[in-house]
Amino acid sequence: MTADELDKRQAIIDACLRMNALGINQGTSGNISVRHQDGLLLTPTSVPCEAMTPDQIVFMAMDGSHSPGQRPSSEWRFHRDILKSRDDVNAVVHAHPTYSTTLAIMGMEIPPVHYMIAAAGGDSIRCAPYATFGTVELSEHAVRALEGRLACLLDHHGMIAIGKTLDKAMWLAVEVETLARQYHGCLQIGQPPLLSSAEIERVRQRMAGYGMSDE
Ligand code: 13P
């Protein structure tokens, strides 16, 4: 294994641990992938982050094949399909954070309640329709909900954030959960007033190069 590959494997584990520390992961539910050579490096299924070792990270080719004996995340399909269909993206983060998942259970998207929604690429964070975890159908729904966007919710399931780098995808995952929490808070008071699509577009332009934004 090259030093570059080992670094990527360790960075995936570190990001997993960070999701735990931030309270974004629920149990072993989160999974992460990073583009590597002509495939992807992906977290193993059902291994707690604290117990994950670099050799357990699975290298998967774009046809879904991997070394026998390795156990890729049950969500490998949408990780593979997102990386395959989006050459602007090199990292995929999936988790079941409480506020994002609460909205997803209600089948709600996140509307433009705050200008930071522009960091996810548009004036809403869509909610992909429900399909059983690990299925082709779920992957198709996720890829569609992410069209032109860098994040989506998954009905009755959780959220996905993607980015040019793992750091950017992680930053966005935290931001999406913050937006979900803010929207949830607003809904306790009433229907929040929304920013216009034109304003979100203006923010998107201004954000170019700002912080961890992918724009
Ligand atoms: P793993 O298979 O990666 O442990 O994750 C389960 C899960 O998050 C299903 O959505």
Side-chain angles (χ1 to χ4, degrees):
M1 189 187 304
T2 63
D4 169 60
E5 181 171 349
L6 187 59
D7 284 353
K8 280 186 183 171
R9 286 171 182 251
Q10 190 57 52
I12 289 173
I13 295 172
D14 292 346
C16 243
L17 290 167
R18 222 155 71 230
M19 285 210 287
N20 273 0
L22 291 164
I24 282 180
N25 255 0
Q26 311 299 320
T28 58
S29 63
N31 32 68
I32 292 178
S33 65
V34 169
R35 192 184 298 281
H36 181 68
Q37 296 173 350
D38 52 357
L40 56 148
L41 291 167
L42 174 65
T43 46
T45 187
S46 56
V47 177
C49 301
E50 315 79 54
M52 223 176 263
T53 55
D55 56 298
Q56 289 175 329
I57 302 292
V58 179
F59 175 72
M60 177 176 278
M62 283 301 180
D63 64 3
S65 61
H66 56 85
S67 294
Q70 287 220 288
R71 291 165 34 85
S73 167
S74 53
E75 297 296 14
W76 66 267
R77 282 180 193 282
F78 70 59
H79 285 269
R80 188 271 312 263
D81 293 348
I82 292 166
L83 291 170
K84 204 169 170 180
S85 63
R86 294 282 296 261
D87 52 14
D88 58 322
V89 166
N90 294 308
V92 178
V93 171
H94 166 60
H96 304 175
T98 304
Y99 288 92
S100 301
T101 306
T102 301
L103 297 178
I105 289 167
M106 301 302 289
M108 294 165 81
E109 62 172 30
I110 307 180
V113 282
H114 191 290
Y115 76 80
M116 283 302 287
I117 202 154
D123 63 358
S124 68
I125 294 172
R126 301 181 190 114
C127 182
Y130 180 78
T132 309
F133 81 96
T135 58
V136 174
E137 202 185 356
L138 177 63
S139 176
E140 287 171 356
H141 290 331
V143 168
R144 202 165 312 125
L146 285 167
E147 257 167 39
R149 300 286 163 83
L150 296 168
C152 71
L153 305 182
L154 302 174
D155 187 357
H156 283 83
H157 187 157
M159 61 87 79
I160 298 175
I162 60 181
K164 277 200 179 80
T165 64
L166 179 52
D167 279 350
K168 288 184 176 195
M170 282 291 294
W171 175 85
L172 188 57
V174 173
E175 188 52 46
V176 171
E177 178 61 356
T178 302
L179 287 163
R181 190 171 179 175
Q182 290 162 345
Y183 183 39
H184 176 270
C186 292
L187 290 171
Q188 311 312 303
I189 304 170
Q191 280 299 328
L194 304 179
L195 292 168
S196 68
S197 299
E199 176 55 15
I200 296 303
E201 188 47 37
R202 213 160 21 241
V203 172
R204 247 164 54 80
Q205 316 262 329
R206 283 184 81 92
M207 262 182 180
Y210 173 80
M212 298 301 291
S213 166
D214 238 6
E215 297 301 305

